[in-house]
Structure formats: C-alpha cells, structure tokens
Amino acid sequence: MAMGFQEQKKPDYRPMFFSMADEWKDIESDESIFEFSVKSSDTSLTTEIEHQVRLLSNSLGEPRLFFSEIETSVCADGECKLANIKVYWNLLGNYVGYGTYDKYPLTKFEHDPFEKADYQKLHKLLLDDNSVLKRRKMSDLIDKIPVSLSNINSKDLDGISGATKKEIKESVVKGGLYSCYTIWHLVHGDAKKKIRKNLETIGADDLKEYFLYSLYKDYQIYGLKQLSQADFRVHSKQIVSIFKSTNALTRTYILKKLPTDLYSEKEITNQLYTMFPGVDLNSKTLLINKLEFAAPDAIEILAGFLDNMTKNQLKHYLKYLEENTLRITNTMKRNLRKVSKDKNYAHSYLIDAFLKTNK
Amino acid sequence: MKYLSEKIMKKITWLTSICTVLIFNQLIGQQNVLIEAESFIDKGGWVVDQQFVEQMGSSYIMAHGMGVPVSNASTQITFNNKGNYHVWARTKNWVPGNWDAPGQFKILINGKPLKHNLGLTPEWGWEYAGKVKIKSSHVDIQLADLTGFNGRCDAIYFSKSKTPPTNSKSELATWRKTKLGEATSPETQKTYDLVITGGGLAGCAAAIASAEQGLKVALIHDRPVLGGNASEEIRVHTLGIYGKYERILKMIDTKHYPNGSSEAKYDQEKRDRNVKSFKNIDLFLNWRAYDAVSENNTIQYVDARHTSTGERIRFTAPRFVDSTGDGWIGFWAGAEFSYGRESADTYGEAWEEWGELWSPEEADNFVMGSSVLWQNEKTEDVHEFPQLPWAIDVAKEHKAIAGEWYWEFTRNDLHQIHDAEDIRDHMLRAIFGSFANAKKLEENKNYKLQWVSYLVGKRESRRLIGDHVYTFNDVKNHTKFEDAVVEEIREVDVHYQKHLKDEAIPDFLSKAIYYQTEKYYVPYRSLYSKNINNLFMAGRNFSCSHIGLGGPRVMLTTGQMGAAVGLAAVICKKYDINPRAVYTKHLQEYLDLIEKQK
C-alpha cells in the first residue's frame, strides 16, 4: 500500500555515508513501494521480518533513491541484538549509502559499539556488490576466520580457502563479522532484485536520459544499453564525454556499439582518438582495431601516440600502415622515425624494422 | 609398465649426444654446427620450457632462479674440424626497455667465456656471442646465468662464416631441419588403440579408463610429471565432484590444499605412480605433439617430439583424444573450434546483473586469463631481494608475498595461446615486482621466494566444437541429457579483470562472478568432434561456449570427461565405430559401462 509523504512525519534522511552527490537533500516525496522479507538470524524465532522499501523523489517529482529503515537482529553465539540502519539504493538497486540512529549504534562482538573507522569499513564493504560474503553461509564463516592477518602465511593456510579467509578478514569490521554479514545480505538480497524489477513501474523510459547524463558509472552504462542506433547520434556529445571519464568496461562497450556511420565522422573520430594516451589498454586495442571504420585523421593522430601502444597494438597499427602506405604522411614518417629511436619505448625496434622494410 | 624411466631417458640423452656428434661430423664440411640448448646433457639449474614451441619454434632452456643465478648448463661436443668459429645464441630480452635486460647469460667454451653477454635483443633471434678458436676435438660448452631472472636460450650456432643464421620465422624451421639433418617424417612409428595427447587430469583419466578395459594406450605429455594444472609444477588443487568415476579420479586428484602449496608433491607422486602402474599405458613424458594429419576428416597420425632430445615418434591409432587444453590436435587436424566470448544472444547467455562482464552484447576475444602461482618461505634469516625497474610497470605499487588463483592475466590484445609467453612473462614481472615492493617493508625481511611457477596455468583457450555445444542454459535448465556422462554441482564461475571497473587496481588481478546452481550435466555429444570423425576431446577444450566453460572447467569435472571418453573409446573398439556411433547406436551399453565404474 502506497503511503504519501504528507501523511507521515518527514524522516531524517541524513546518511552517514553516501556515494552519490547530494540526492538525499532534496526529497519531497516518500512513498512505500514494496516490502521484502528476510529470515531472522535469531534461531529462536522462525518468523521472517518484513522491511519496507520506499521511493524517494525530489521536488520536481523525479524518483531519485530507494530507502529503507531497517531493524534487524544480529546474532552471535545464540545471543542476538538489534541493529538499526537506514539504507539507500540508487534507482538501479545498487547500494549507495547508509545511516544510523544516534540512539542505536551498530555493535561488534560482545556488543562493543562500532568505532568511526568501523562504520567507514562497513560502507566500503556494502559498496562491493561482489563481496566475498556473497556466496557464503554464516555457518561457513564461524570459527574459520583467522584471528589476525599475521596468521596468514604460506605455512598455516589450512586448505579450504586461504585466499577467501584473507579476503573476508580484510573486508569486514574486526569483531563485527555478524553485523557485516547480516547487513550485506540485507542490502544485496531481495530488496535489490525487487528495485530492479520495479524500475519499469517508476517510469524507466522517462529516466533514460537522466541515466545517460548522470555522473554515475552504473547509470551511464545502463543508459547506454538502452540506446537505439539512432539514439547514439542524438546523444553523441554525451557519449564522447562519458568515454573520456568512465572506466574500461564502459569505454569498451561504447567502442563496440558506436554505429559505423557515426564512428567515421571526422569530429567523433578526432575526439575519440585524441584521447588515446589517457584511456585504458583494452580501449586502445579497440581504437586500433577499428581504424578502418574511423575517419582518415585517426591514423595520423595515432602516429603521435606510438609510444603508448603495447607490442601487439603497435604490430596491428604498423600492419594497418603497411596496407595503407598511401596514407602515410610526412608528419607520420617523422613521428615513426623519432619513436624508432626512443630508448624509453620498449617496442621501438618494431618501428625501426617497419621503416627499414617500408622506405 | 612401459614408460620412459630415468634410466632409459639417460640412455636416450647419451644416444642423442652420439647422434649429435654424428651430425657434426657430417656438418664439419659445412663448417657450422647447431646445438639445441634443450639437448644439453647437464641442464644445471636451467629448466626446459616447451610451452611456446608453436610460436617461437622450439623448446628452450631458461634460468628460472627467482633472482639467484642458477648453476651452469653444460654439454660436451666433439669437433673434428679445428679452427676459428663465430658463435651465436638464439635468445631474447624478455623485458625490453630502458634498463639492464633482466635475463642475461654468457656462453663458456672450455671454461672461457665468450665476449658478449646474451639475452639483450627484443624478440627471439640470434645474438652474437663472440669468436672462439677450437683447438681440440673435445669441446665443453656451458651456459652461465648472470642474473637469476629468466634468461633463456633456444640454440647455439657455431660457424666459420660471420654470416648470422636466419631470423625469419618462416625460414628458420626449414633451416633448423637442414642443420640437424632431420627427415620429413619421424624415424619411429608406434601404433595403439587410442592415442591421448595431454596428460592433465582429463588425459590421465582417459588413459586409465580405457586401459582398465584392455585398450593399448599411448599417453603423450610434454612435461616430466602428470596432472597439468594440478601438477606440482602449477599447483592448482582439483575442484568439482567425482560423478560416476570416483575410483578412477581418486588415483589422480589432489587434496584441497591452498593453490600454490608444496603439498602438491604428495599428490604428484600418487598420480604418477598410479598411471605408471598400468601395463597397457605407454607413457611418453616430455614428449610434445607438434602435428596431427587427417585425411577424409579422419586423423591418420599424431607426431610428437621429445622436448629435450628432439627425437620424434609418429603415433597412429584408429582414434585419438585431444586433452591438450589448447585443442592442438583438433586444430592441426582441421577440427572446427571456437575462441573468445560469444555475444550474449548467440546462445542466450545474458545475465543482466553482470552485463558485459558476464556475456558481452558483441562477441570479443576477452576470455578468462591464465595464472602463474607462487609461494614464499619465512625463515630465521633476513633475505635481500633486489628492486627491479623492469617489473615496476606491471607491479606498480602492489605488494604481495604470495599468489593465489586470482593472480590472473588476460587482455584483449593478447591471445591465450599465441601470446602465452608474453602472458607468462607479464605474470613473472607482476610476481617479482610485487614481491620486491613487499620486501621494502620491515615485516617481510625474513621472507624469500620459495617457488614461482614458470608454467602458464590456463583457464580458457580453444574450444573444439562437438555435436553439442555446452552452454549456460544447460546449467540453468539442469538438462538431463539422455547421454549425460559428466555431472557437476559446482557453481559456474567466470572471471573478469578487476581493473576493468577500477583502473587503479593492477591489471593482473581478477575477480570471479559465481552462479549458484543445482546439479548439471554434460552430454557425451560435447566430447567428440563435430567434423573430425575419430577425435574425442576432454578437458577445457571440450565443446562449449565461453560461459558454458565456466562451470565444468575445473579438474575433477574435466577428469570425468576424460574417463567418459576413455570408456567411449572401448565401445568404439568393440564395434569398430567412430565416437558419434557410440551415441547413435550403442548409448545404453556405453552408459551401462559407465555405471560399472563406481
């Protein structure tokens, strides 16, 4: 049942940690969207606890965050204590932050309160959607975590998963394994799946551009994946802008998906190939592999960045030159000669050999 | 028991040195002599590396000293023709750049070093070592490692002419054959019921399963010990379940020790002992296949060469198993194969949560990477480790004192087969550089490198195509094929390089995406070639998609595949049929035979 914001007291949305900008500040509408249930970790209870997930929208009525105030039991050695946190997900269901209540600090083993650094570590753990905790049962973890990192060396790793133990030890709050485990699974469990499913109902179509033009990497690739071939042209400026600032995953996606007619436009080609030195190696490979689809300038632009290429990339580029000798300009020749003598570039010998056979 | 024991090996080495001398006598008239470095009688601390023959032309020897120069390799040669000779070594600088080459060595003739250091030129090629005057017929040749960091030597060439040998890849193979006086075909031919190439878990299981049923089997393996990725040379523990082959697989599996553990040696002893105990398995250790020829889509023979002596054997059989991992037998024979990541639409393998990291919208070659494992030792003493300018580009600030499975490397301009040497070398730089970084810390002063593998532990390469291509959907649907011969409950896990998401992370660390699942099954139709009539495949080169490989790529599962094809070969022999007919005509009998293995 949806509950309008006006009908309840405005909650305190202030998060303790928040990985987006300040979306939580401008919240005008708060409506319950769905509930998700989590089995209580208190083995004395058989009930499932229901948690409400709310959609927070801004003053323009635009959906911005999903939010839940969660009270859950964290149990250790048969003794349980409640943990209270406010969780924030973005519109794709990815965790973006959490907050606590002054009255209810999170606790560790023997109910010591979390220290400041512990809260920070929890946030870092929750940001990892592929945490080592993901596919583990709590029962797998008990008594299997080494007491301290210094115990982890080649001689006393006992088998099952030395690497995993180390990873768990490094990612959870010391003494707070139960809290971390419980909260991670709450944040990355059913709620996340339901948010994703709900995306259509909150108007994903209207949000397409919001995603594409946002500063967040997960939004950007989601936005890119919604584009038709024609959309690429409409949004080409933003796509080039994303290309410049994003990670290798999204960059390689853009290079694979850019329609050929757009890719071959002089302006797009120039912008993409000028960024060559600053992009990751996998994107560099694609830029070289796609030379035949780029505007003619690309070949000359790359001649200025020879010393940024891996061995195979350079081989591929030189092979392209060999097949297109007529396109080798004097400027390019000068660059080739210069880099062929560059002792700091490991593969200069390949250029030297190229120049000898292509005089 | 018929395998090439140490004693026989020594005899072969001795015979080879005699042969070599005979060749020299013949070649003296030509006033030049070629010596393959891997045929040195005493390798000293140098190791034989046969992994990249298809790319660089030969086995070679390498000074894998983990920073400490290894002891000299040596051999003795008889020269009938005295006089001045120019000497070259075929070698490479494995990390070219503006620093001292990491792997340098010298050639010593009768104890005297030749003028030039070697290992200085990028790419495999001939480097001039110097001039020597041969005064007596007995000549002692040694390779002296100068650095302890993976200097490598393929061959040494003596010539009275100052013209260096060819560096042209296409001409080199012919030149080498001519110099060594090698005939077109192998000198020896051997015939079996089943020829299995590749002695990893799959190949070993295939050999045992078929030999137990009376087949005469050749198992060709290019290392001195069996097990492939599970061997003490690579040290990945076996994962998965035994399926219907527990008895067989327990002869060759490993305990669940940490990856890289020295405990691997105990399982190594067990595995080698068990496989060698079968009278009708002829085990060819240190033999690497280099060709397979088919006529009318039927393989006629597999040719293999000894990785040290260069001796060759032609293996003929009615049926063959490709358990090479890289699908070499199928590749040479013309079998259809795939490589890379299919587009998500090809087989409908998308997983929205993981998007491009799982299965890309457009196909690419960004397969899972290879690992090189390593391990430290903590001692009472302080150990120095040098700072390595040639490793920093790769290791950057990363500090580590040991490796694990997620030390893994792949990149979209690198092919896991064609660029395997570069991939291995990249990992060596990652390892040595990260260890050098860690050694700067006071807390690590007592650590030293105990073991660093020099073998590439591959996850994914060529996948030969069978009548059925195994995909993610077969896992999700738990398809109970009528010809299900392999079963598994292990999660599907597919890796990606962490730095795809965060470029601050070094490029040699990976992360796994896990898909939890109930039991799934691999059909027999994924274990024989679609277009080569007499070819089975088992191991990571079985018929599957990139994502399909994610579950059954671990070694107990690939071991199941091996046992399954070993038993299928028994049915083939009984009725004189090809692998496909086991499915079309004798499936029940085959499944009954499998049931009896428990």
Side-chain angles (χ1 to χ4, degrees):
Chain A
M1 186 182 71
M3 189 186 288
F5 169 67
Q6 298 303 330
E7 297 167 42
Q8 60 181 12
K9 190 184 169 217
K10 189 172 178 175
D12 176 9
Y13 293 119
R14 193 172 27 192
M16 182 182 269
F17 295 97
F18 196 68
S19 64
M20 296 175 82
D22 53 4
E23 283 80 351
W24 63 273
K25 285 183 181 166
D26 176 24
I27 300 300
E28 281 295 323
S29 153
D30 179 335
E31 54 182 329
S32 176
I33 290 284
F34 62 81
E35 289 180 341
F36 70 101
S37 54
V38 177
K39 227 179 198 172
S40 169
S41 59
D42 183 347
T43 46
S44 65
L45 302 170
T46 50
T47 51
E48 292 200 333
I49 306 168
E50 296 287 331
H51 302 286
Q52 205 178 56
V53 172
R54 288 136 56 182
L55 174 64
L56 308 183
S57 303
N58 65 13
S59 46
L60 299 171
E62 297 162 334
R64 283 299 175 259
L65 292 166
F66 286 93
F67 176 70
S68 186
E69 293 178 293
I70 294 172
E71 182 180 270
T72 186
S73 53
V74 172
C75 303
D77 301 332
E79 195 185 334
C80 299
K81 189 162 180 182
L82 290 176
N84 295 69
I85 63 165
K86 299 177 272 191
V87 178
Y88 301 80
W89 295 269
N90 68 14
L91 299 179
L92 297 176
N94 295 327
Y95 164 85
V96 290
Y98 80 95
T100 56
Y101 302 88
D102 295 343
K103 280 190 288 183
Y104 309 113
L106 295 178
T107 56
K108 298 191 276 191
F109 187 61
E110 296 190 334
H111 307 305
D112 291 338
F114 266 40
E115 309 278 337
K116 196 176 168 189
D118 297 333
Y119 284 109
Q120 177 80 51
K121 196 165 187 185
L122 175 62
H123 177 56
K124 195 178 165 202
L125 168 73
L126 295 177
L127 281 172
D128 182 2
D129 58 358
N130 197 15
S131 161
V132 66
L133 300 178
K134 184 173 182 173
R135 61 193 185 101
R136 308 278 158 194
K137 290 181 184 148
M138 192 63 221
S139 55
D140 293 341
L141 305 176
I142 298 167
D143 298 326
K144 289 180 182 172
I145 309 301
V147 176
S148 76
L149 272 179
S150 62
N151 284 356
I152 299 173
N153 66 35
S154 57
K155 284 184 178 165
D156 62 9
L157 293 179
D158 74 356
I160 295 180
S161 48
T164 307
K165 279 181 187 176
K166 188 173 176 220
E167 204 181 341
I168 293 171
K169 178 81 190 162
E170 285 171 348
S171 61
V172 303
V173 171
K174 192 179 178 189
L177 174 64
Y178 302 100
S179 300
C180 288
Y181 182 89
T182 306
I183 295 170
W184 191 93
H185 280 274
L186 267 174
V187 167
H188 292 278
D190 230 22
K192 185 173 175 169
K193 283 184 196 142
K194 284 189 170 173
I195 290 172
R196 200 64 183 240
K197 270 191 180 170
N198 264 280
L199 192 56
E200 293 303 319
T201 64
I202 64 165
D205 238 26
D206 299 338
L207 290 166
K208 261 179 165 177
E209 292 198 9
Y210 167 65
F211 287 131
L212 187 66
Y213 284 80
S214 90
L215 295 170
Y216 310 122
K217 290 188 171 65
D218 56 344
Y219 279 7
Q220 288 172 347
I221 193 158
Y222 181 84
L224 286 164
K225 283 195 167 236
Q226 311 309 310
L227 298 179
S228 67
Q229 293 269 301
D231 289 340
F232 271 91
R233 178 170 294 281
V234 176
H235 302 290
S236 62
K237 201 172 169 189
Q238 172 62 6
I239 291 166
V240 170
S241 164
I242 291 174
F243 185 82
K244 189 172 186 178
S245 60
T246 190
N247 57 23
L249 185 64
T250 305
R251 260 192 226 112
T252 49
Y253 180 79
I254 290 172
L255 289 174
K256 282 168 147 194
K257 297 297 286 188
L258 268 179
T260 309
D261 60 335
L262 189 60
Y263 196 86
S264 62
E265 282 184 9
K266 189 180 164 85
E267 196 184 339
I268 297 286
T269 287
N270 281 4
Q271 291 181 82
L272 293 177
Y273 283 83
T274 308
M275 284 186 250
F276 188 84
V279 302
D280 59 280
L281 287 177
N282 293 297
S283 299
K284 285 188 171 95
T285 302
L286 293 185
L287 284 167
I288 295 169
N289 290 352
K290 289 183 67 122
L291 269 173
E292 60 179 309
F293 304 111
D297 290 4
I299 186 173
E300 182 152 355
I301 296 171
L302 288 189
F305 302 134
L306 295 168
D307 56 354
N308 279 273
M309 294 180 190
T310 66
K311 184 171 77 176
N312 280 359
Q313 287 167 354
L314 179 66
K315 281 182 177 175
H316 197 112
Y317 177 74
L318 294 176
K319 186 165 179 278
Y320 187 80
L321 289 190
E322 230 162 34
E323 290 162 358
N324 296 276
T325 44
L326 292 177
R327 293 175 58 187
I328 304 177
T329 64
N330 286 335
T331 315
M332 289 165 68
K333 278 181 190 162
R334 273 197 300 278
N335 283 336
L336 286 162
R337 276 197 293 271
K338 188 177 147 201
V339 183
S340 73
K341 295 184 182 93
D342 183 354
K343 284 185 179 173
N344 288 314
Y345 179 47
H347 315 299
S348 53
Y349 66 94
L350 291 171
I351 304 173
D352 193 45
F354 171 84
L355 290 170
K356 280 176 183 152
T357 51
N358 294 276
K359 281 177 184 167
Chain B
M1 184 175 71
K2 192 180 175 192
Y3 63 95
L4 296 175
S5 67
E6 282 292 307
K7 203 171 171 183
I8 296 170
M9 279 308 305
K10 277 182 184 162
K11 200 171 175 185
I12 286 177
T13 311
W14 177 79
L15 280 169
T16 309
S17 74
I18 296 293
C19 288
T20 315
V21 172
L22 289 175
I23 291 164
F24 293 159
N25 284 337
Q26 180 197 333
L27 293 175
I28 290 307
Q30 299 168 8
Q31 302 194 320
N32 51 46
V33 173
L34 174 66
I35 303 161
E36 293 286 0
E38 65 272 19
S39 71
F40 268 42
I41 293 166
D42 178 4
K43 310 275 188 310
W46 296 63
V47 293
V48 175
D49 191 335
Q50 85 310 333
Q51 298 171 95
F52 318 114
V53 172
E54 290 75 22
Q55 291 76 46
M56 49 69 67
S58 171
S59 292
Y60 60 83
I61 59 173
M62 180 166 71
H64 184 53
M66 299 182 291
V68 180
V70 303
S71 58
N72 292 0
S74 63
T75 201
Q76 288 76 45
I77 300 294
T78 303
F79 275 67
N80 283 352
N81 202 346
K82 295 168 193 169
N84 290 323
Y85 284 85
H86 297 282
V87 185
W88 288 265
R90 188 161 186 263
T91 178
K92 79 186 283 190
N93 174 1
W94 65 279
V95 196
N98 198 12
W99 42 66
D100 288 340
Q104 298 187 40
F105 62 97
K106 270 190 180 292
I107 296 175
L108 276 60
I109 308 289
N110 292 331
K112 282 191 179 170
L114 295 182
K115 186 177 178 186
H116 299 288
N117 285 6
L118 300 160
L120 305 177
T121 315
E123 305 281 6
W124 281 100
W126 295 100
E127 288 183 27
Y128 188 62
K131 211 161 71 172
V132 65
K133 187 166 191 175
I134 301 294
K135 297 175 187 167
S136 65
S137 55
H138 295 287
V139 177
D140 176 81
I141 303 171
Q142 294 189 44
L143 295 181
D145 175 26
L146 301 175
T147 58
F149 281 117
N150 303 83
R152 47 201 82 177
C153 182
D154 164 18
I156 298 168
Y157 183 62
F158 288 78
S159 176
K160 291 205 165 179
S161 156
K162 211 182 171 181
T163 311
T166 180
N167 272 329
S168 153
K169 203 176 168 187
S170 53
E171 292 167 12
L172 187 65
T174 313
W175 180 88
R176 204 189 284 263
K177 276 188 171 186
T178 310
K179 294 293 171 198
L180 297 173
E182 204 171 85
T184 314
S185 304
E187 307 77 16
T188 311
Q189 182 167 317
K190 290 177 179 284
T191 301
Y192 294 90
D193 293 326
L194 185 66
V195 169
I196 302 164
T197 309
L201 263 279
C204 289
I208 293 171
S210 51
E212 281 185 336
Q213 303 299 320
L215 264 59
K216 189 167 164 48
V217 178
L219 177 56
I220 306 165
H221 186 55
D222 61 1
R223 295 299 307 169
V225 291
L226 292 166
N229 279 336
S231 73
E232 65 174 336
E233 296 191 306
I234 299 182
R235 302 188 186 177
V236 179
H237 56 232
T238 53
L239 282 177
I241 62 171
Y242 296 100
K244 297 181 188 302
Y245 315 96
E246 183 167 350
R247 184 184 54 76
I248 291 172
L249 294 179
K250 283 199 163 170
M251 295 186 219
I252 55 176
D253 67 349
T254 72
K255 286 182 187 163
H256 200 104
Y257 51 70
N259 292 317
S261 166
S262 57
E263 286 178 52
K265 69 182 170 202
Y266 303 115
D267 295 319
Q268 187 66 61
E269 286 161 13
K270 173 190 80 173
R271 183 181 311 115
D272 289 354
R273 187 176 62 246
N274 283 333
V275 174
K276 287 172 182 175
S277 71
F278 287 90
K279 284 180 183 164
N280 45 344
I281 296 177
D282 277 4
L283 181 55
F284 294 88
L285 290 176
N286 294 313
W287 286 79
R288 183 173 174 93
Y290 65 89
D291 200 7
V293 169
S294 65
E295 283 173 20
N296 300 320
N297 291 331
T298 304
I299 298 178
Q300 304 299 304
Y301 56 81
V302 163
D303 287 344
R305 181 189 300 275
H306 192 276
T307 57
S308 289
T309 67
E311 191 191 10
R312 295 177 301 157
I313 299 176
R314 175 158 291 176
F315 293 88
T316 62
R319 281 159 290 273
F320 297 82
V321 177
D322 187 336
S323 45
T324 59
D326 286 346
W328 278 114
I329 303 303
F331 177 76
W332 289 318
E336 289 180 32
F337 68 93
S338 61
Y339 180 90
R341 303 196 302 169
E342 295 85 357
S343 72
D345 288 343
T346 306
Y347 297 113
E349 296 179 295
W351 184 4
E352 194 192 351
E353 185 180 349
W354 293 104
E356 292 289 300
L357 291 175
W358 180 259
S359 190
E361 278 182 32
E362 285 194 8
D364 60 28
N365 281 340
F366 216 154
V367 297
M368 283 185 279
S370 298
S371 287
V372 175
L373 289 168
W374 59 294
Q375 198 50 272
N376 68 62
E377 184 179 358
K378 192 173 185 181
T379 72
E380 296 299 315
D381 307 315
V382 173
H383 297 276
E384 299 296 325
F385 195 76
Q387 293 305 304
L388 307 169
W390 47 265
I392 293 305
D393 279 357
V394 177
K396 300 194 163 64
E397 298 294 315
H398 194 67
K399 299 179 185 70
I401 54 168
E404 243 298 347
W405 63 263
Y406 51 78
W407 282 64
E408 172 178 354
F409 186 51
T410 181
R411 204 172 60 206
N412 67 354
D413 66 325
L414 295 171
H415 190 286
Q416 294 292 315
I417 298 173
H418 309 323
D419 299 305
E421 189 178 22
D422 285 343
I423 290 170
R424 189 273 309 272
D425 290 346
H426 190 87
M427 289 307 293
L428 290 180
R429 293 170 75 192
I431 291 165
F432 294 138
S434 299
F435 189 68
N437 288 338
K439 286 292 287 179
K440 289 182 199 166
L441 303 177
E442 173 70 13
E443 69 199 53
N444 294 326
K445 66 182 180 188
N446 289 352
Y447 282 100
K448 67 174 189 177
L449 288 173
Q450 180 196 60
W451 170 82
V452 177
S453 183
Y454 59 93
L455 302 184
V456 190
K458 287 183 192 169
R459 285 182 178 76
E460 180 170 1
S461 39
R462 284 191 198 101
R463 306 184 296 272
L464 304 179
I465 296 176
D467 278 354
H468 180 85
V469 176
Y470 190 77
T471 73
F472 184 40
N473 292 313
D474 296 326
V475 178
K476 282 199 293 190
N477 300 331
H478 315 294
T479 317
K480 181 79 174 77
F481 300 98
E482 60 173 338
D483 57 334
V485 291
V486 171
E487 56 192 39
E488 191 47 78
I489 56 169
R490 179 187 175 269
E491 63 271 72
V492 176
D493 79 309
V494 172
H495 298 184
Y496 64 88
Q497 299 305 109
K498 280 173 126 178
H499 79 131
L500 283 178
K501 287 174 81 176
D502 182 353
E503 287 165 31
I505 297 173
D507 64 2
F508 50 85
L509 299 175
S510 71
K511 187 97 179 167
I513 299 170
Y514 294 94
Y515 177 86
Q516 303 288 346
T517 175
E518 301 293 314
K519 188 182 271 190
Y520 51 95
Y521 307 87
V522 177
Y524 170 64
R525 282 164 295 154
S526 294
L527 303 180
Y528 60 84
S529 168
K530 184 181 177 180
N531 66 312
I532 298 296
N533 300 323
N534 59 346
L535 178 63
F536 293 104
M537 55 263 191
R540 69 170 184 264
N541 56 216
F542 86 109
S543 175
C544 59
S545 65
H546 163 72
I547 298 292
L549 180 67
R553 66 189 167 79
V554 294
M555 286 182 279
L556 288 179
T557 330
T558 57
Q560 288 187 52
M561 293 177 201
V565 303
L567 295 172
V570 174
I571 305 287
C572 286
K573 187 188 176 193
K574 181 176 175 185
Y575 296 105
D576 191 22
I577 53 173
N578 281 329
R580 181 176 290 115
V582 173
Y583 171 67
T584 56
K585 293 184 179 160
H586 302 278
L587 183 58
Q588 196 51 52
E589 184 178 351
Y590 174 41
L591 295 177
D592 291 344
L593 181 60
I594 289 173
E595 283 299 322
K596 287 181 196 160
Q597 302 309 309
K598 285 180 181 171

